[in-house]
Amino acid sequence: SSARETAIRVAAGAIAKKYLEDNLGVVIRGYLAQLGPIKANALDWGEVENNSFFVPDAKVVPEMEVYMEKLIAEHDSIGARVNVVATGVPTGLGEPVFDRLDAEIAHAMMGINAVKGVEIGSGFSCVELKGSQQRDVITPQGFNSNQAGGILGGISSGQDIEVSLALKPTASISQVTETIDTEGNSTEISVKGRHDPCVGIRAVPIAEAMLAIILLDHYLRQRGQNGI
């Protein structure tokens, strides 16, 4: 399954992003949060477009470059984590049961090649949190946290929608590995050709596009149902 097919998604997402920003003030941005063992320790949106990794922390770029050079020399691959954030999302988008906003976002993100995990808000880290820590308390000034990632009960809360993706390392590498032939006999295979050692780097604009498409779809449903 080639990621080349995602080009059309990015094209459609670009239209969706423009409509959302121009008409609703919604801004959707993504970045590489982690490449293998190397994590971004800062979030500088202005840095994301300044390097080939889409990473928001300039200090880790040299380390990532060295790591990737070593990976290429070893003919191996690595996984990555991509975060995407939508700000300015209006409240009320989504449904409480069948078409929950978070469920449809997760469905769309899992449809991206190599994605094996999706988190919204605190995600899997909520396993270690107590209810008193996880809940987003609302005050007259608004919510005092965003553990839910901008979606409560399947409906947007007006906070930033925060989504995180885990992408696996590609299996199509040139290292020789065991397999079987068409007769079921043991043999070896080595995949030749051009393959990215980390597909997660290229997933940033795809994740942005998919989030934009889902948000615009739900906005159009809302407008069609309620006229707003």
Side-chain angles (χ1 to χ4, degrees), residues 3 68 77-80 82 113-115 167-170 195-204 206:
M68 290 296 287
S77 60
I78 195 67
V82 169
N113 308 61
V115 171
L167 294 102
K168 70 172 184 175
T170 178
H195 301 284
D196 291 326
C198 181
V199 295
I201 299 171
R202 299 179 184 274
V204 174
I206 305 171

Side-chain angles (χ1 to χ4, degrees), residues 149-206:
I151 303 171
L152 293 166
I155 299 172
S156 61
S157 66
Q159 296 176 277
D160 291 353
I161 291 181
E162 301 173 349
V163 186
S164 185
L165 318 179
L167 294 102
K168 70 172 184 175
T170 178
S172 53
I173 56 178
S174 57
Q175 282 190 22
V176 177
T177 188
E178 294 181 5
T179 187
I180 58 172
D181 61 21
T182 55
E183 303 295 326
N185 301 312
S186 178
T187 185
E188 293 182 335
I189 187 174
S190 176
V191 182
K192 304 299 181 182
R194 181 188 178 281
H195 301 284
D196 291 326
C198 181
V199 295
I201 299 171
R202 299 179 184 274
V204 174
I206 305 171

